[in-house]
Amino acid sequence: QVQLVESGGGLVQAGGSLRLSCAASGRIFRRYPMAWFRQAPGEEREFVAGISGSGGSTYYADSVKGRFTISKDNAKNTVYMQMNNLNLEDTAAYYCAADTKGGSWYSTRANDYIYWGQGTQVTVSS
């Protein structure tokens, strides 16, 4: 069993930065691929960034490439997402996800992930 807890969301002005954290329980964290998704009101949950279990491979949605950076600290059982140059379109609830059905390190599909956090709200103002 894995429990994920996100933190770091809040209010930020356009052009500002935030760093989201996702703390995972257990010693098996390093074995799992991880991803961040986001969901705005009335919208489907969409992929933002993903990372392999080792942290050696990362991938991003085109909308955040060059602005967001996902990373892992396996010793701390934590995955991070640094978000720079935030804009109004980044406003959403952000969710951390872990492990994939079938064990692939790569997936942009929400229904491929097994474990989910409760979400943390990011609101960007002008």
Side-chain angles (χ1 to χ4, degrees):
Q1 185 64 259
V2 175
Q3 185 173 15
L4 307 175
V5 180
E6 302 100 328
S7 62
L11 299 172
V12 63
Q13 293 187 47
S17 298
L18 287 172
R19 188 177 75 158
L20 304 184
S21 298
C22 174
S25 64
R27 296 183 179 181
I28 60 175
F29 173 80
R30 61 178 56 83
R31 304 176 185 176
Y32 290 154
M34 306 285 293
W36 288 95
F37 290 76
R38 65 187 182 187
Q39 187 168 21
E43 304 291 335
E44 294 186 358
R45 191 165 297 189
E46 68 173 352
F47 169 79
V48 179
I51 189 167
S52 61
S54 69
S57 298
T58 61
Y59 54 103
Y60 300 89
D62 288 343
S63 60
V64 306
K65 193 173 298 182
R67 299 189 297 122
F68 292 8
T69 303
I70 187 172
S71 61
K72 294 184 74 184
D73 187 337
N74 284 331
K76 296 181 178 179
N77 285 355
T78 302
V79 63
Y80 304 96
M81 188 163 66
Q82 178 68 41
M83 305 186 295
N84 296 329
N85 194 25
L86 287 160
N87 57 54
L88 296 178
E89 289 69 42
D90 296 318
T91 295
Y94 284 73
Y95 297 88
C96 178
D99 207 6
T100 54
K101 301 171 184 177
S104 176
W105 69 271
Y106 176 93
S107 178
T108 62
R109 294 171 54 87
N111 64 7
D112 283 345
Y113 287 85
I114 298 172
Y115 303 106
W116 292 86
Q118 84 289 346
T120 185
Q121 179 68 36
V122 172
T123 302
V124 183
S125 63
S126 61

